[in-house]
Structures are given as C-alpha cells and as structure tokens.
Amino acid sequence: LAQSTVTMYEPDGTRLGATSFVGKSGLFVDGRELPESGTYTIVVDPYGDAVGAMTLELYDVPDDAATAIVPGGPAVSLTTTVPGQNARATFTAPSGSRVSVRLAGVTIKTANVALMKGGTTLTSTIVGTSGGFLDVQALPIAGEYALVVNPQSSYTGTIALTLYDVPADVAGSVAADGSAVPLALNVPGQNARLGFDGRAGDRFVVNVGSGFPGSAYVSIVGPTGAALGGRTLVSSSGGLLDLRTVESNGPHELLIDPQGPATGSLSVNLYAVPPDPSHAIVPGGSPVTVSTTTPGQNARLTFQGTAGRTMSLLLSN
C-alpha cells in the first residue's frame, strides 16, 4: 500500500490514541495501554483508490525494565526485549542536588533518554550507539526521580547509565594580567567560574591551555548573565576566546563548560588587551613595521587611496 491511515479502536468503538499515517517505508506505533478487556480492532484505511498489501505485527509489551541507581554510584545496565518497552532507573535525592548522566554501552540504535520527576521531563537527549551525556541538572524538590529510556521505532537493546552527584562549580578569581590559573574539573557536568571586575570598554581575550581530555565551551559572562560575543568551543589542544569588549561596569565571570563526560585539568589565562596600535603607510613609500604585545591585539595601518589605482601589499619578517 502506498499510503494509509492506521487506527486502533477499543471494544466500545472509541479510538485508542491518535490515528497513524503510514507509507511504503512502514511505521511503528509505540506502546498503548489497553483501558479494558475485550475485542479491539485495528483499521487500515488506504488513501484514495490505493490497493495492495501490508503486514502488521502486534506485540504484547511487558512492564518497563526497572532498577535502582545511586548518584555517585556504579553504572547500571537496562535492557529492553520487546518493541515498545521502555526502561527506567529510579533514585531519591534531596532538593538542590545536581546530577549528570553518562550513557554508554548502547546497543539500541536510537533512544530518547529523559530525566523525569513524575510526569515532568527536566531534561532529555537522543542517544545512539556512540553513547551520550545528560549535562548537569539541578533537582527542584526532594523526592524520587527516574531516568527513562524510550527506544525509538521498534528498536530494543541495552544501555548503561552512570549517575553522577555533581558538586558546586569550581569557583575562584582570575587577574587580567595573563597569569595562568590551574583548574581541576573532577566530575562530569562540573563547570568552572572565575570572577573578575570589568569596566565598560575594557577588552579581554582568554587563552585555554592544552591537555584537557575533551572539548569545552569558554565564555565571558557579564553582570546580566549574558555571554559577551557568544562562546567558543576549544579542543584538547587548547584554544583562544578572541577579543571581547565589556559593555557595562560590574562583576564578570570567565566560564569554562566541558562538553560530555570529560573531566581533567586545564589552565586559563585572561589578558587585558590594550588599544590596537595604528600607523600610517604610504603607497610607494618606506616599509612600516607593526608589533602587538598582547594576545588578541590587532594592528591597523591607514593610507590615502585614489579611485582607479591598484594596490599590492608585501608582508615579511
């Protein structure tokens, strides 16, 4: 059949869930709980004058595979065996706790993994066989929470979850004199925040040293909580957050946000960038030497140009 709708009906004729649309590539209708005993009906309704064949397979879905998991404890594995079956790992935590989750050992082709409190999803991600990570999440109230694994389509398989009890972000200060500040980020999901004072018009760059076994976003956050000029992703080889100009007076933070479950040590340097040196250069005149003294500083050369003339430029030394 080229295209059809598929609808399930309860014994009294009430539609069970939404009508599904299916084409030649097929479709999987996720698990639906039957509200009463009796004879149910599945109606396949081809579009227009279409005729043809379709194969339907109906699964008796067992209860969710369930286990307990402990923040800061060992990884637990969850396995689903029937299409439409979910899996969940539950834990109890006090209000204000911060948790993150590593997802590994995935044999399910694709699954949605969600951190839930009752019927409310706090955060979620789609994970494949390469694994994934749920970044740090503060728990709003004390009580029981669940990590719910919902395989997509008709996939089944296994996934290992590690639940981390994430301490407060590493806090400190940084001087804008280029001095290196060493940081140790020991729990997946933990960030680092280094405070400094900024005045409107100040210009800064940040250098991140190499050696951290993963990538991290680096940004300068102003008094309003907004990142100046956005954030930059640096790799294990380090990198530079290029020139950022402070917009208002007040306390600022240098924020280091590792991605995924990476942990380890790194160092950062904050530089106050002086004004760009400016020089005049004359077409056909003497060469001009320019120098910069601080990472992120530029140099500017100006000249008088005449319409219709062609210029070339040689850079050396």
Side-chain angles (χ1 to χ4, degrees), residues 18-272:
T19 293
S20 301
F21 298 87
V22 58
K24 287 186 176 181
S25 60
L27 179 72
F28 178 73
V29 179
D30 210 352
R32 295 179 182 177
E33 184 176 351
L34 305 184
E36 59 180 311
S37 299
T39 301
Y40 287 75
T41 304
I42 302 171
V43 176
V44 178
D45 182 5
Y47 272 17
D49 60 355
V51 295
M54 178 189 297
T55 300
L56 291 81
E57 188 170 0
L58 185 65
Y59 298 98
D60 186 3
V61 181
D63 292 338
D64 290 351
T67 190
I69 192 170
V70 178
V76 300
S77 291
L78 295 170
T79 301
T80 63
T81 57
V82 177
Q85 184 186 29
N86 294 341
R88 62 180 57 229
T90 59
F91 64 97
T92 301
S95 173
S97 295
R98 297 176 3 125
V99 297
S100 63
V101 186
R102 182 178 184 177
L103 312 166
V106 183
T107 65
I108 305 166
K109 187 173 182 181
T110 311
N112 178 275
V113 181
L115 172 61
M116 302 188 69
K117 174 62 176 166
T120 301
T121 298
L122 302 181
T123 184
S124 65
T125 188
I126 297 295
V127 61
T129 53
S130 60
F133 184 67
L134 281 174
D135 207 352
V136 63
Q137 177 71 42
L139 305 182
I141 59 175
E144 184 176 90
Y145 291 81
L147 293 166
V148 179
V149 179
N150 180 8
Q152 304 299 283
S153 188
S154 58
Y155 302 130
T156 62
T158 300
I159 184 172
L161 292 77
T162 305
L163 179 64
Y164 299 100
D165 185 5
V166 183
D169 289 345
V170 173
S173 60
V174 61
D177 59 5
S179 299
V181 178
L183 297 171
L185 300 171
N186 298 320
V187 179
Q190 187 181 33
N191 296 339
R193 298 174 179 271
L194 302 175
F196 65 95
D197 288 327
R199 297 171 300 174
D202 284 350
R203 310 194 312 161
F204 298 99
V205 297
V206 179
N207 183 69
V208 180
S210 61
F212 186 73
S215 60
Y217 277 112
V218 182
S219 59
I220 291 177
V221 179
T224 64
L228 302 181
R231 57 185 186 171
T232 293
L233 185 67
V234 300
S235 67
S236 59
S237 59
L240 186 76
L241 176 70
D242 209 352
L243 193 67
R244 298 292 190 268
T245 302
V246 170
E247 299 171 352
S248 59
N249 298 342
H252 288 65
E253 284 185 328
L254 172 56
L255 174 61
I256 311 295
D257 180 8
Q259 298 303 286
T263 61
S265 298
L266 72 159
S267 63
V268 295
N269 308 73
L270 178 67
Y271 296 92

